[in-house]
Amino acid sequence: MKDKINIEPFINYGSGHSGMTSLIKDIDVNVKKIIEFFRFILKYKIIFKGRGIEFAGLREYTSDDDASMIDWNSTARTGKTYVKIFEHERNLDVIILLDTSSTMLFGTQKLLKTEYAAILAGALAYSAVEVGDRAGLLMFNDNVKTFIPPNKGTLQYYKILKSITNKKNYGGRSNLSNALEYIIETIKHRSIIFIISDFIDPVGQWEEKLKLVGYKFDKLVGLMIRDVRDETLPKGIGKMRIFDPVTNKRIVVDMDKYRDEFLRNVKIHEAMIEKAFLVSHGRVVKILTNEPFI
């Protein structure tokens, strides 16, 4: 992602604001710049839809199909080339859970975590609808802020984009447990679940709900979005006034004194997140906002 993405912080945008249209266009343009590379790397048609064991029917052969899957009996009978399809090759809905809590409204790089996550969510949604699958979006903080049921087509992509750039959907704590419960009750089984979050201070019994999601759905992927300052603190910065983005409590801290402890806690926390996904038959990928997610 070599092109710089020149967008203002989400907090400056909102419904009816002239900057909203600009933000949507900026995300849309950059998503489409990288989408060909993204689809090439992701290849979720192959990764998530491998050959299954339950025969589901026939369809006409295309140049992208594996010739070994040709059903020669049907081909000889009809004069057209058909291939067998299996249960795991049926289309899967792509469901994106996007964390919009206050800890995501942070950034020391070119992009806030929210901005970076918005482009990533846009790329996922666009790649899904472009190949004819259905994409859906759930944005959450203290509660489920908005839910767009999975659907196909370009209009669905722009509907998702509009919701992503609405500032009313941002702020508060990260109630991941509530969001996962909503998905469990609302979404059918044949789905891929992407959770885009920094996974900082999620509330509720989210680990148990994550297990249910992992067992119910076809694939579970966590995309851990982190700023470099979520990971490390520079040496020699001395005392700083910091504040909690959720409670707005402020305190002066000697950063050098607590630097090593901070680094230890970061490693422990990230290992806990990775373990939670592993035991839920999922995986988590950490992505820093100063790096291209491709």
mmCIF file of all heavy atoms in Angstrom, residues 266-291:
data_model
loop_
_atom_site.group_PDB
_atom_site.id
_atom_site.type_symbol
_atom_site.label_atom_id
_atom_site.label_comp_id
_atom_site.label_asym_id
_atom_site.label_seq_id
_atom_site.Cartn_x
_atom_site.Cartn_y
_atom_site.Cartn_z
ATOM 1 N N VAL A 266 1.992 -6.084 27.616
ATOM 2 C CA VAL A 266 1.568 -6.164 26.213
ATOM 3 C C VAL A 266 1.721 -7.586 25.701
ATOM 4 O O VAL A 266 0.815 -8.141 25.060
ATOM 5 C CB VAL A 266 2.378 -5.189 25.327
ATOM 6 C CG1 VAL A 266 2.177 -5.503 23.847
ATOM 7 C CG2 VAL A 266 1.980 -3.747 25.613
ATOM 8 N N LYS A 267 2.868 -8.200 25.966
ATOM 9 C CA LYS A 267 3.124 -9.563 25.505
ATOM 10 C C LYS A 267 2.149 -10.557 26.133
ATOM 11 O O LYS A 267 1.650 -11.464 25.458
ATOM 12 C CB LYS A 267 4.564 -9.957 25.812
ATOM 13 C CG LYS A 267 5.603 -9.193 24.985
ATOM 14 C CD LYS A 267 7.017 -9.625 25.341
ATOM 15 C CE LYS A 267 8.032 -8.860 24.508
ATOM 16 N NZ LYS A 267 9.426 -9.247 24.851
ATOM 17 N N ILE A 268 1.886 -10.385 27.420
ATOM 18 C CA ILE A 268 0.952 -11.276 28.111
ATOM 19 C C ILE A 268 -0.448 -11.141 27.525
ATOM 20 O O ILE A 268 -1.140 -12.136 27.266
ATOM 21 C CB ILE A 268 0.924 -10.964 29.624
ATOM 22 C CG1 ILE A 268 2.263 -11.360 30.268
ATOM 23 C CG2 ILE A 268 -0.235 -11.688 30.311
ATOM 24 C CD1 ILE A 268 2.410 -10.895 31.704
ATOM 25 N N HIS A 269 -0.857 -9.904 27.286
ATOM 26 C CA HIS A 269 -2.204 -9.651 26.759
ATOM 27 C C HIS A 269 -2.362 -10.218 25.342
ATOM 28 O O HIS A 269 -3.371 -10.862 25.026
ATOM 29 C CB HIS A 269 -2.484 -8.151 26.753
ATOM 30 C CG HIS A 269 -3.817 -7.784 26.200
ATOM 31 N ND1 HIS A 269 -3.989 -7.307 24.924
ATOM 32 C CD2 HIS A 269 -5.062 -7.849 26.749
ATOM 33 C CE1 HIS A 269 -5.269 -7.082 24.708
ATOM 34 N NE2 HIS A 269 -5.948 -7.401 25.789
ATOM 35 N N GLU A 270 -1.386 -10.004 24.493
ATOM 36 C CA GLU A 270 -1.480 -10.504 23.127
ATOM 37 C C GLU A 270 -1.466 -12.025 23.088
ATOM 38 O O GLU A 270 -2.161 -12.639 22.266
ATOM 39 C CB GLU A 270 -0.350 -9.926 22.274
ATOM 40 C CG GLU A 270 -0.515 -8.427 22.019
ATOM 41 C CD GLU A 270 0.552 -7.865 21.095
ATOM 42 O OE1 GLU A 270 1.477 -8.625 20.730
ATOM 43 O OE2 GLU A 270 0.452 -6.680 20.741
ATOM 44 N N ALA A 271 -0.688 -12.635 23.965
ATOM 45 C CA ALA A 271 -0.663 -14.100 24.040
ATOM 46 C C ALA A 271 -2.026 -14.633 24.482
ATOM 47 O O ALA A 271 -2.482 -15.682 23.999
ATOM 48 C CB ALA A 271 0.428 -14.564 25.003
ATOM 49 N N MET A 272 -2.691 -13.901 25.370
ATOM 50 C CA MET A 272 -4.018 -14.296 25.836
ATOM 51 C C MET A 272 -5.034 -14.234 24.693
ATOM 52 O O MET A 272 -5.881 -15.120 24.541
ATOM 53 C CB MET A 272 -4.452 -13.392 26.989
ATOM 54 C CG MET A 272 -5.815 -13.720 27.578
ATOM 55 S SD MET A 272 -7.161 -12.789 26.790
ATOM 56 C CE MET A 272 -6.815 -11.142 27.398
ATOM 57 N N ILE A 273 -4.943 -13.187 23.872
ATOM 58 C CA ILE A 273 -5.848 -13.048 22.727
ATOM 59 C C ILE A 273 -5.622 -14.185 21.730
ATOM 60 O O ILE A 273 -6.570 -14.809 21.228
ATOM 61 C CB ILE A 273 -5.653 -11.692 22.028
ATOM 62 C CG1 ILE A 273 -5.959 -10.535 22.995
ATOM 63 C CG2 ILE A 273 -6.518 -11.602 20.782
ATOM 64 C CD1 ILE A 273 -7.383 -10.476 23.459
ATOM 65 N N GLU A 274 -4.355 -14.470 21.441
ATOM 66 C CA GLU A 274 -4.021 -15.541 20.502
ATOM 67 C C GLU A 274 -4.539 -16.891 21.009
ATOM 68 O O GLU A 274 -5.068 -17.696 20.225
ATOM 69 C CB GLU A 274 -2.516 -15.592 20.292
ATOM 70 C CG GLU A 274 -1.963 -14.393 19.522
ATOM 71 C CD GLU A 274 -0.450 -14.397 19.443
ATOM 72 O OE1 GLU A 274 0.160 -15.381 19.937
ATOM 73 O OE2 GLU A 274 0.117 -13.446 18.897
ATOM 74 N N LYS A 275 -4.392 -17.134 22.288
ATOM 75 C CA LYS A 275 -4.866 -18.397 22.865
ATOM 76 C C LYS A 275 -6.384 -18.499 22.775
ATOM 77 O O LYS A 275 -6.924 -19.572 22.478
ATOM 78 C CB LYS A 275 -4.411 -18.510 24.321
ATOM 79 C CG LYS A 275 -4.830 -19.809 24.985
ATOM 80 C CD LYS A 275 -4.346 -19.889 26.419
ATOM 81 C CE LYS A 275 -4.797 -21.184 27.079
ATOM 82 N NZ LYS A 275 -4.336 -21.271 28.494
ATOM 83 N N ALA A 276 -7.077 -17.385 23.019
ATOM 84 C CA ALA A 276 -8.542 -17.385 22.967
ATOM 85 C C ALA A 276 -9.034 -17.776 21.579
ATOM 86 O O ALA A 276 -10.014 -18.526 21.441
ATOM 87 C CB ALA A 276 -9.081 -16.010 23.358
ATOM 88 N N PHE A 277 -8.369 -17.294 20.541
ATOM 89 C CA PHE A 277 -8.759 -17.664 19.181
ATOM 90 C C PHE A 277 -8.372 -19.099 18.865
ATOM 91 O O PHE A 277 -9.108 -19.818 18.183
ATOM 92 C CB PHE A 277 -8.139 -16.697 18.167
ATOM 93 C CG PHE A 277 -8.956 -15.464 17.931
ATOM 94 C CD1 PHE A 277 -8.821 -14.361 18.759
ATOM 95 C CD2 PHE A 277 -9.869 -15.403 16.893
ATOM 96 C CE1 PHE A 277 -9.579 -13.219 18.556
ATOM 97 C CE2 PHE A 277 -10.630 -14.281 16.674
ATOM 98 C CZ PHE A 277 -10.493 -13.173 17.512
ATOM 99 N N LEU A 278 -7.216 -19.515 19.341
ATOM 100 C CA LEU A 278 -6.745 -20.873 19.061
ATOM 101 C C LEU A 278 -7.704 -21.910 19.630
ATOM 102 O O LEU A 278 -8.074 -22.866 18.931
ATOM 103 C CB LEU A 278 -5.341 -21.068 19.647
ATOM 104 C CG LEU A 278 -4.696 -22.436 19.425
ATOM 105 C CD1 LEU A 278 -4.500 -22.699 17.934
ATOM 106 C CD2 LEU A 278 -3.359 -22.532 20.169
ATOM 107 N N VAL A 279 -8.132 -21.732 20.868
ATOM 108 C CA VAL A 279 -9.042 -22.700 21.482
ATOM 109 C C VAL A 279 -10.447 -22.591 20.899
ATOM 110 O O VAL A 279 -11.287 -23.463 21.136
ATOM 111 C CB VAL A 279 -9.090 -22.531 23.016
ATOM 112 C CG1 VAL A 279 -7.726 -22.747 23.623
ATOM 113 C CG2 VAL A 279 -9.657 -21.173 23.405
ATOM 114 N N SER A 280 -10.700 -21.543 20.130
ATOM 115 C CA SER A 280 -12.004 -21.354 19.481
ATOM 116 C C SER A 280 -11.979 -21.784 18.019
ATOM 117 O O SER A 280 -12.859 -21.426 17.241
ATOM 118 C CB SER A 280 -12.430 -19.882 19.576
ATOM 119 O OG SER A 280 -12.493 -19.453 20.913
ATOM 120 N N HIS A 281 -10.935 -22.532 17.643
ATOM 121 C CA HIS A 281 -10.772 -23.013 16.262
ATOM 122 C C HIS A 281 -10.667 -21.854 15.267
ATOM 123 O O HIS A 281 -11.135 -21.953 14.125
ATOM 124 C CB HIS A 281 -11.920 -23.947 15.866
ATOM 125 C CG HIS A 281 -11.994 -25.194 16.683
ATOM 126 N ND1 HIS A 281 -11.192 -26.294 16.455
ATOM 127 C CD2 HIS A 281 -12.760 -25.506 17.758
ATOM 128 C CE1 HIS A 281 -11.464 -27.237 17.340
ATOM 129 N NE2 HIS A 281 -12.404 -26.791 18.141
ATOM 130 N N GLY A 282 -10.060 -20.770 15.721
ATOM 131 C CA GLY A 282 -9.829 -19.617 14.858
ATOM 132 C C GLY A 282 -8.372 -19.226 14.891
ATOM 133 O O GLY A 282 -7.527 -19.936 15.442
ATOM 134 N N ARG A 283 -8.091 -18.097 14.280
ATOM 135 C CA ARG A 283 -6.726 -17.570 14.332
ATOM 136 C C ARG A 283 -6.808 -16.063 14.393
ATOM 137 O O ARG A 283 -7.793 -15.447 13.975
ATOM 138 C CB ARG A 283 -5.912 -18.016 13.118
ATOM 139 C CG ARG A 283 -6.412 -17.467 11.806
ATOM 140 C CD ARG A 283 -5.453 -17.752 10.677
ATOM 141 N NE ARG A 283 -4.138 -17.183 10.924
ATOM 142 C CZ ARG A 283 -3.232 -16.981 9.975
ATOM 143 N NH1 ARG A 283 -3.503 -17.304 8.722
ATOM 144 N NH2 ARG A 283 -2.066 -16.457 10.251
ATOM 145 N N VAL A 284 -5.736 -15.460 14.917
ATOM 146 C CA VAL A 284 -5.667 -14.005 14.999
ATOM 147 C C VAL A 284 -4.368 -13.537 14.350
ATOM 148 O O VAL A 284 -3.327 -14.182 14.484
ATOM 149 C CB VAL A 284 -5.767 -13.511 16.465
ATOM 150 C CG1 VAL A 284 -4.579 -13.992 17.293
ATOM 151 C CG2 VAL A 284 -5.882 -12.005 16.520
ATOM 152 N N VAL A 285 -4.464 -12.434 13.616
ATOM 153 C CA VAL A 285 -3.305 -11.857 12.935
ATOM 154 C C VAL A 285 -3.134 -10.431 13.450
ATOM 155 O O VAL A 285 -4.073 -9.638 13.400
ATOM 156 C CB VAL A 285 -3.494 -11.830 11.410
ATOM 157 C CG1 VAL A 285 -2.269 -11.225 10.730
ATOM 158 C CG2 VAL A 285 -3.774 -13.229 10.883
ATOM 159 N N LYS A 286 -1.943 -10.113 13.945
ATOM 160 C CA LYS A 286 -1.671 -8.754 14.412
ATOM 161 C C LYS A 286 -1.163 -7.901 13.263
ATOM 162 O O LYS A 286 -0.274 -8.318 12.517
ATOM 163 C CB LYS A 286 -0.636 -8.772 15.542
ATOM 164 C CG LYS A 286 -0.366 -7.379 16.124
ATOM 165 C CD LYS A 286 0.531 -7.442 17.340
ATOM 166 C CE LYS A 286 1.966 -7.757 16.962
ATOM 167 N NZ LYS A 286 2.873 -7.687 18.124
ATOM 168 N N ILE A 287 -1.717 -6.705 13.113
ATOM 169 C CA ILE A 287 -1.332 -5.793 12.054
ATOM 170 C C ILE A 287 -1.077 -4.417 12.656
ATOM 171 O O ILE A 287 -1.939 -3.855 13.328
ATOM 172 C CB ILE A 287 -2.421 -5.669 10.973
ATOM 173 C CG1 ILE A 287 -2.955 -7.062 10.566
ATOM 174 C CG2 ILE A 287 -1.916 -4.918 9.770
ATOM 175 C CD1 ILE A 287 -4.154 -7.004 9.669
ATOM 176 N N LEU A 288 0.110 -3.867 12.421
ATOM 177 C CA LEU A 288 0.446 -2.523 12.882
ATOM 178 C C LEU A 288 0.037 -1.495 11.841
ATOM 179 O O LEU A 288 0.160 -1.724 10.641
ATOM 180 C CB LEU A 288 1.945 -2.402 13.169
ATOM 181 C CG LEU A 288 2.485 -3.307 14.287
ATOM 182 C CD1 LEU A 288 3.994 -3.122 14.417
ATOM 183 C CD2 LEU A 288 1.808 -3.000 15.624
ATOM 184 N N THR A 289 -0.444 -0.349 12.311
ATOM 185 C CA THR A 289 -0.981 0.664 11.384
ATOM 186 C C THR A 289 0.089 1.373 10.558
ATOM 187 O O THR A 289 -0.254 2.111 9.638
ATOM 188 C CB THR A 289 -1.771 1.729 12.164
ATOM 189 O OG1 THR A 289 -0.907 2.346 13.135
ATOM 190 C CG2 THR A 289 -2.969 1.120 12.867
ATOM 191 N N ASN A 290 1.349 1.138 10.861
ATOM 192 C CA ASN A 290 2.423 1.720 10.029
ATOM 193 C C ASN A 290 2.913 0.729 8.985
ATOM 194 O O ASN A 290 3.925 0.953 8.317
ATOM 195 C CB ASN A 290 3.593 2.191 10.899
ATOM 196 C CG ASN A 290 4.275 1.049 11.640
ATOM 197 O OD1 ASN A 290 3.700 -0.027 11.794
ATOM 198 N ND2 ASN A 290 5.477 1.288 12.119
ATOM 199 N N GLU A 291 2.183 -0.394 8.843
ATOM 200 C CA GLU A 291 2.542 -1.413 7.874
ATOM 201 C C GLU A 291 1.354 -1.699 6.940
ATOM 202 O O GLU A 291 0.208 -1.610 7.370
ATOM 203 C CB GLU A 291 2.937 -2.724 8.573
ATOM 204 C CG GLU A 291 4.136 -2.585 9.486
ATOM 205 C CD GLU A 291 4.408 -3.869 10.250
ATOM 206 O OE1 GLU A 291 3.555 -4.784 10.246
ATOM 207 O OE2 GLU A 291 5.471 -3.960 10.868
#
